[in-house]
Each structure stands twice: as structure tokens, then as C-alpha cells.
Amino acid sequence: MITVGFGAVPGVTAEEVLAAVDAVLPPGAAGVRLATLDARAAEPGARAAAVERGWALTGHPAAELATIAVPAPSARVASLVGTPSVAEAAALLGGGDLVVGKTVHGRVTVAVARDVDLRHHGDAELAPGLVDLAVNVRAGGPPEWLRRVLHRAVDDSAAYPDPAPARAAVAAAHGRSPDEVLLAAGAAEVFVLLARALAPRRAVVVHPSFTEPELALRRAGHPVTRLQLRAQEGYRLDPAAVPDDADLVVIGNPTNPTSVLHPAADLARLTRPGRVVVVDEAFADTVPGEPESLAARTDLPGLLVVRSLTKTWALAGLRVGYALGAADLVTALAAEQPHWPVSSPALAALAACSAPDARAEAGAAARALAGHRAALLDALPAGVSVEGSPASSFVLLRVPDGQRVRAALRGRGWAVRRGDTFPGLSPDHLRVAVRDPETSRAFARALAEVLEAGR
């Protein structure tokens, strides 16, 4: 879907609107909708333009448009209509990526945004017979000792789940009080609970990143501002770039899909009274020693750290995760959960994977992963750019003609994660999971052949 935002002077005609839109629409664009200021959407010219093409037309209040961060704000426009941007803000309000910035065409200003499929995840890339480099989950499934734990929990599932032992184990692992631990059906549930429990005036999601937090916020009706990190800066966060009036900030560390690890000190700088800072640490245990984790910090106001067992322990299907934060925030989130939100097998996994021996095993796996990641990077052929400085169980690559490359790899038996469903990335971006060196070298050979065939 393409959203064309437009601003115009009063009395603009349908012909003027359509001429401006046609000047910027990408070739072959389908599924077009128009968006503008509510006062302009009510004018005959705007309505007639939408009717002529069969396009939807949405008008937004100036106050709503003013919440959207745009590349080219205008103080003059703000003084006239109450928002520093109409065209770009209207195009971006639905959550798309800007593909054509503010463009003046006569008495009409237009901008174009492409919708991003926030619901797309790596599992959609998989199919029987493909080598899985699309999902960042430990290959081979859970270790045998954890399988035995799960089997016993299934045998005991006639009783209702008792979360107390798992909560105590997680709390002990991170040096927290049990009332600072929220157990959840995966990290994704925590983001839905946040969207239900909080009423942010300005939610900022740092991108490119895992898309479920933004999706949950938008579905709950909360406006979202995207803070887009830049490739030329290594996709690293400058804490000063977060708007002062943000009362909810969401960031991943390490970040999916860039695999960049932000310094804990930079993330700590984001916290302040009156603001909730959510740090998604779903991949934190893939980094040896977890040096930049904030999981044990109890001194930072509004901090909520989200963790998952999915990646290191290969438990994606079990749906198990947790959050760590101040007791009042945890209580507010828990109030949005139904009774018994986490199953007995998931609780058993939480307790087992929080034990000292399991955490030591996870640390050893993280150290081995670092070597495997280096082997993958060393094997990559010429013509492939590694984005950022990868620190986790996946790397973000940029290749020429990415859509063709991804399709050709699939034809050769390799599944990789498309990048263009992450806000701010393009079809030339591919996220690739780190596997054992033999698998990585075989993938690199296939990638080299695909690139050579396209020259």
C-alpha cells in the first residue's frame, strides 16, 4: 500500500491534486490512498480527486500530524495550520517508510510513504528442504537436559501452573526481587501488555528493530514516532537524538536486525522520571558476559528490560519470556494478563534456564557463537557489505539486487530473512543467522555464485 500525503492551498482543484500525485507516484504503484489535513480533506477538490481514482482519502487533525517526526519541517507551515508538516506527516502517520520526500508541484505539496509489513518475521521465509538462516534460533533444538525438564512438566500438567518457583529463579539470576519480575508468554506478549497498560503521549521506537513493539502500540491506538538510526553511523544510538518529550522509548540491545550492541551507559542516559524506557534484550545472552545488559539495574527510573528464552534455548514454540522492572510497573502490566498466562512447561523452562549451570552453559554457547560469527564474516564474498558491527547470533548484509539474490538463494536451498520489512531498510538488506562454520562457508559459496550470475 502506498500513502500519498499532500498539502495544498485552500480551493485547490482535483486536477491540481492529481497532477501533483502523478508526478511522484512510483511506476506501477497500486493500492494508493491519500492523506492530508482534515480541513483540506473536506474540500471539494480533494474529495473529487479521490473519487476520480477510487482512492481512500483520510483527513488528520493538525495536532495529530504535529506528533510525527519528518525530515523537512517548516515553521511557516506550522504558523499557518498548526503543524510543521502536512504532506510528509500525513504520508508517514500510518507507519510507512518515506520513499519520496516533500515535493512541491504548483499549489500542491506531496510526499509518498510505502507501507512496511510489521507482521512479517523470519519464520515466513521457511519451507521444507531449505537450510534455515532466516530464524535466529539455536539450530538443533533444545539440549537434552532441557527436553527432559519439559517432558516432566507435561506429565505434571494436570495441575494449574504455579509461577512462584520460576519467578523466584529468574529474580535470583538477575539479583532482583520477585515482585520486579513479570513472566510472560514470550517477549511479544510484554509489548502487547505495555500497549494496554500505558497511555504514552509520545512513544518513540528506535529503528531498524523488532517490529512487534510498534505494531502493538499502533494497534492500541498510540501514535508512534520512529527514530531512524543511520547506516553511515553504524546504526548506533545517539541518546541526544531521542526527543525530550518522549514518555516511552523502545530499543533493542543487541538490536534485531542490525546485531549492533549499544553501550549500557548510552541506554541508561535515556531514563528519567516520567518516562518508560523498554530495552529488548531478547538476544542479550548471545553476547559473552552480557557486558551491556541493564537487567540487574534497579536504580534507573522507568526502566523495563525484556528477555526471552527463544534464541539460546531453541524454545520459539513454547512462547516463554519475562520482563524486569520496578514493582509498580510490573504490577500494572500483570493486571492486563489473564489468569495463568504462562504454561507449566514454560514455567519449568524458566526455572531450569535461570539456574547457575544453565547460565554457564549459555555463556559457553555465546563464546562459541562469537567464533562462528567470525567464520561467517570471513567467508563472505566480495560485493557483500556487512552493516554495523555485529555482536549477536545474526548479521545484517547488503547486497546488490537483493530481491533477485534472495530468490536465487531460495532456489539453491537457502532461506534468509528479507530486510525491507524492517523500517528504514531496503530490499537489498538480508539478515542471515550465524550457524556452524561449515554451514556458513557453504552459504557463502552459494551467495558468491548467485552474485556472479547477476553480473
Side-chain angles (χ1 to χ4, degrees):
M1 180 70 75
I2 297 290
T3 301
V4 180
F6 71 93
V9 300
V12 71
T13 66
E15 291 74 18
E16 289 176 294
V17 172
L18 292 176
V21 172
D22 289 342
V24 295
L25 266 186
V32 177
R33 60 192 173 205
L34 303 179
T36 187
L37 191 67
D38 51 6
R40 295 293 172 266
E43 292 195 8
R47 295 202 308 269
V51 169
E52 181 174 328
R53 297 289 177 87
W55 293 339
L57 171 64
T58 303
H60 300 289
E64 190 175 14
L65 294 176
T67 67
I68 304 301
V70 298
S74 166
R76 186 182 69 84
V77 172
S79 68
L80 292 173
V81 298
T83 172
S85 171
V86 174
E88 289 182 337
L92 289 169
L93 187 58
D97 274 349
L98 199 67
V99 293
V100 179
K102 181 170 72 174
T103 304
V104 179
H105 193 282
R107 298 199 301 167
V108 182
T109 300
V110 287
V112 181
R114 172 185 61 85
D115 276 7
V116 176
D117 182 5
L118 299 178
R119 296 229 61 178
H120 184 90
H121 297 296
D123 57 331
E125 314 281 359
L126 303 182
L130 297 180
V131 178
D132 175 16
L133 302 185
V135 175
N136 303 318
V137 172
R138 167 183 178 156
E144 187 57 38
W145 65 263
L146 183 52
R147 294 172 190 259
R148 292 194 294 271
V149 168
L150 297 175
H151 291 164
R152 287 195 297 270
V154 170
D155 290 341
D156 294 339
S157 289
Y160 282 97
D162 176 8
R167 184 178 292 115
V170 170
H174 295 289
R176 309 288 296 240
S177 169
D179 62 359
E180 297 174 331
V181 177
L182 176 79
L183 307 182
E189 188 200 6
V190 178
F191 302 129
V192 172
L193 298 176
L194 280 162
R196 291 176 180 170
L198 304 183
R201 295 181 302 278
R202 187 171 191 185
V204 173
V205 179
V206 180
H207 279 296
S209 68
F210 185 51
T211 53
E212 287 297 319
E214 177 172 331
L215 181 65
L217 288 165
R218 289 189 180 278
R219 287 190 164 180
H222 304 306
V224 174
T225 297
R226 289 178 178 167
L227 175 56
Q228 206 75 57
L229 303 186
R230 296 153 55 91
Q232 53 266 47
E233 296 165 359
Y235 292 108
R236 293 197 173 278
L237 173 72
D238 175 5
V242 175
D244 285 339
D245 61 345
D247 54 354
L248 173 63
V249 181
V250 184
I251 185 169
N253 202 38
T255 298
N256 172 19
T258 63
S259 198
V260 167
L261 185 65
H262 302 286
D266 286 350
L267 302 187
R269 285 176 56 194
L270 300 179
T271 63
R272 62 183 64 174
R275 171 188 285 177
V276 174
V277 175
V278 180
V279 181
D280 178 2
E281 292 193 0
F283 292 95
D285 61 356
T286 67
V287 181
E290 301 186 17
E292 309 302 340
S293 173
L294 296 179
R297 295 288 296 271
T298 60
D299 59 316
L300 300 174
L303 175 67
L304 188 77
V305 174
V306 182
R307 304 284 294 235
S308 169
L309 302 190
T310 294
K311 321 303 178 187
T312 292
W313 300 113
L315 295 176
L318 197 59
R319 308 311 309 141
V320 54
Y322 57 93
L324 305 165
D328 58 348
L329 179 55
V330 166
T331 298
L333 298 178
E336 300 296 329
Q337 289 180 302
H339 284 300
W340 314 293
V342 183
S343 71
S344 293
L347 293 171
L350 279 165
C353 295
S354 299
D357 287 351
R359 289 173 62 80
E361 182 177 324
R367 292 189 292 274
L369 175 69
H372 293 175
R373 184 176 59 248
L376 168 61
L377 297 177
D378 288 344
L380 292 172
V384 176
S385 298
V386 179
E387 301 279 71
S389 299
S392 188
S393 56
F394 50 92
V395 298
L396 181 64
L397 307 180
R398 186 162 192 156
V399 299
D401 197 6
Q403 287 182 313
R404 181 197 67 82
V405 169
R406 186 164 59 87
L409 286 170
R410 192 175 185 84
R412 293 168 180 256
W414 298 92
V416 297
R417 170 65 156 89
R418 61 187 287 193
D420 60 344
T421 63
F422 291 104
L425 299 188
S426 75
D428 290 340
H429 286 101
L430 307 175
R431 192 193 68 193
V432 177
V434 174
R435 300 295 188 222
D436 63 89
E438 182 179 355
T439 299
S440 293
R441 285 190 284 268
F443 165 73
R445 289 193 294 271
L447 179 56
E449 292 167 359
V450 167
L451 292 174
E452 181 62 31
R455 291 193 175 101

